[in-house]
Amino acid sequence: MDTNSLAKDIQQDVISWRRDLHQIPEIGLDLEHTSSYIRAKLDEFGITYRRAAKTGVVALIAGEEPGPTLALRADMDGLPIKEETGLSFASTNGNMHACGHDAHMAMLLGAARIIYGIRSRLRGNVKLLFQPGEEGYFGAARMIDDGCLEDPVVDAVAGLHVGQIFPELATGQVGVCEGPILAASTRFEVTVKGNSTHGALPHLGVDAITIASEIILSLQKIVSREMNPLCPVVLTIGQIQGGEAHNIITPRVIFGGDFRTLYEEDRCFITRRLTEICTSTAEANRAKAEVKMLGGYPSTSNDPDFTKRLIKNASKVIGPENIIEIKKPNMGTEDMSFYFGKVPGVFFVIGSGNKKKNITYPHHNSKFDLDEDVLWIGPAVFTNLALDYLR
Ligand SMILES: [Zn+2]
Ligand SMILES: [Zn+2]
């Protein structure tokens, strides 16, 4: 049987796994129920695995003959959102799969079952990475620390995302591009230290609020006045704290945010300028500023050769006319980027919004949903990619 028929054959199973997982969304790295569900399915299929990153699962399908190892990755975590979809299989525990990671797991299980069934055709191995903690918990980095790319050593990695991240994708189309497809995020926190005094006697203190305000406005000028306008950058201050009363000049303000970049040189430049602007503006105003860079996710950048391989294999599934080249990357992030820091690979998107079915709500919205009719595509693309790479 060809891979498209194999994938369409298990479409109903993939949908039912997705619905099961949709009801039990968990947060961060603590995904005990989700992890047990995945492991029970792998047991049922006969695929061996070990645990990593607390509740992650690393499974291995060894081919008949030796060869390279391809890793296929699905993220597993939900979000602390109260679901309002009204679906018959809505979440039962107060959290929500509002990013589609339930579908990612179900599709990877589907791919696992198909690939295990045809493992005699593989020269090399397929490793399945079920990874917790994508939504800001550095789950991929934890998986790598726990050796998920070793024993056997992974040579390439592929992952996907469903949804409406790229509005140019119609339902069931695959979107991908060579190079950056998603941004890097860098978090920071700034503490401005002045001196308190009576609100009527400003000359006896140093007002951290006016100084912080000046710094915050100046930081936006990095984006508008110091960056090449053709290099996308977003800088957001999302938190600010300070002050006790209306008549006290505040000695201390803490604000924090993150900035997003596509290219490493931009990330380095902004890190340096942000620090300079904060410390020198504070100093010019008789205050001090302490800047903490808190790290973040690197940009998700697709390997050009592996992207061509993906396009070739996805074309066999849905036809070349349904493969869309992403021209404008999204400034969101993905910790898939941590794997790409170690091995080449590709991250692609399957359009799963559908206006005709009123499936239009954005990711991380309490009414987010996806068109389940596309759920055979992920397993089919993954299987073709494995057969081609491990030929
Ligand atoms: Zn998300
Ligand atoms: Zn996501």
Side-chain angles (χ1 to χ4, degrees):
M1 221 196 303
D2 69 90
T3 44
N4 275 12
S5 315
L6 287 170
K8 282 180 178 162
D9 252 23
I10 61 159
Q11 157 99 340
Q12 282 315 313
D13 289 330
V14 175
I15 290 174
S16 80
W17 302 331
R18 183 251 163 171
R19 292 183 175 195
D20 290 344
L21 289 162
H22 191 84
Q23 293 180 50
I24 53 164
E26 296 167 286
I27 307 299
L29 299 163
D30 300 312
L31 316 178
E32 277 308 333
H33 293 103
T34 308
S35 181
S36 326
Y37 187 91
I38 299 290
R39 284 180 276 124
K41 286 291 160 215
L42 293 171
D43 285 336
E44 193 185 308
F45 304 160
I47 299 173
T48 57
Y49 55 82
R50 66 182 182 82
R51 296 182 67 160
K54 255 181 133 173
T55 52
V57 181
V58 181
L60 187 70
I61 302 172
E64 204 86 314
E65 288 178 61
T69 298
L70 171 68
L72 303 174
R73 172 270 202 175
D75 43 10
M76 304 162 75
D77 52 333
L79 289 154
I81 294 175
K82 197 173 176 315
E83 181 163 349
E84 294 180 316
T85 58
L87 292 166
S88 60
F89 53 89
S91 165
T92 55
N93 67 6
N95 300 319
M96 181 181 174
H97 269 299
C99 202
H101 301 183
D102 48 345
H104 302 168
M105 290 183 277
M107 285 195 282
L108 189 55
L109 283 174
R113 198 165 95 184
I114 298 172
I115 294 169
Y116 188 70
I118 56 171
R119 63 192 181 284
S120 61
R121 289 161 65 185
L122 302 180
R123 258 185 211 186
N125 314 299
V126 172
K127 209 181 245 190
L128 311 162
L129 307 178
F130 291 94
Q131 175 221 302
E134 192 287 321
E135 299 282 3
Y137 295 82
F138 293 83
R142 293 278 299 262
M143 293 281 282
I144 295 168
D145 287 348
D146 286 351
C148 77
L149 299 179
E150 287 144 45
D151 190 29
V153 170
V154 170
D155 298 283
V157 58
L160 63 78
H161 211 297
V162 292
Q164 301 158 63
I165 307 168
F166 297 103
E168 58 268 48
L169 294 187
T171 316
Q173 288 185 326
V174 163
V176 72
C177 64
E178 296 178 14
I181 184 164
L182 290 161
S185 67
T186 309
R187 291 186 222 170
F188 59 89
E189 188 184 272
V190 180
T191 307
V192 179
K193 291 177 184 165
N195 259 317
S196 68
T197 176
H198 194 287
L201 302 166
H203 57 293
L204 299 181
V206 176
D207 181 0
I209 286 187
T210 41
I211 299 164
S213 310
E214 193 175 327
I215 293 174
I216 288 169
L217 292 175
S218 299
L219 291 179
Q220 288 304 333
K221 285 189 275 186
I222 302 177
V223 180
S224 68
R225 303 290 80 187
E226 300 192 27
M227 298 305 303
N228 179 337
L230 296 177
C231 295
V233 170
V234 185
L235 189 147
T236 296
I237 310 294
Q239 287 175 310
I240 179 163
Q241 257 175 12
E244 299 294 337
H246 67 98
N247 58 353
I248 302 172
I249 284 189
T250 299
R252 192 179 145 94
V253 170
I254 300 181
F255 64 88
D258 79 7
F259 60 87
R260 311 233 160 174
T261 47
L262 288 184
Y263 304 103
E264 182 58 19
E265 59 266 32
D266 293 342
R267 201 179 66 78
C268 294
F269 176 77
I270 295 174
T271 301
R272 178 167 65 77
R273 287 295 293 141
L274 189 143
T275 310
E276 284 171 2
I277 290 168
C278 291
T279 51
S280 58
T281 308
E283 214 167 281
N285 288 284
R286 302 174 297 142
K288 282 212 153 41
E290 233 174 63
V291 181
K292 275 192 216 151
M293 287 292 165
L294 305 172
Y297 287 1
S299 87
T300 303
S301 191
N302 286 333
D303 176 75
D305 288 340
F306 209 75
T307 303
K308 290 186 183 87
R309 190 188 284 277
L310 185 273
I311 290 171
K312 180 177 83 176
N313 286 290
S315 298
K316 292 179 204 159
V317 177
I318 51 173
E321 69 281 8
N322 286 313
I323 314 294
I324 307 298
E325 189 197 342
I326 301 294
K327 298 243 168 58
K328 290 182 190 155
N330 181 294
M331 296 309 276
T333 58
E334 243 297 334
D335 70 355
M336 187 76 193
S337 50
F338 284 91
Y339 303 111
F340 291 165
K342 303 283 179 189
V343 289
V346 67
F347 187 71
F348 61 98
V349 180
I350 301 177
S352 66
N354 190 331
K355 282 200 186 99
K356 282 185 208 134
K357 297 183 184 173
N358 274 329
I359 301 174
T360 54
Y361 286 96
H363 292 258
H364 295 204
N365 182 292
S366 58
K367 293 184 177 168
F368 175 83
D369 192 15
L370 51 97
D371 186 346
E372 291 178 326
D373 288 346
V374 310
L375 293 184
W376 67 278
I377 296 169
V381 173
F382 277 152
T383 304
N384 275 325
L385 190 64
L387 284 172
D388 180 50
Y389 187 65
L390 307 173
R391 218 208 296 256

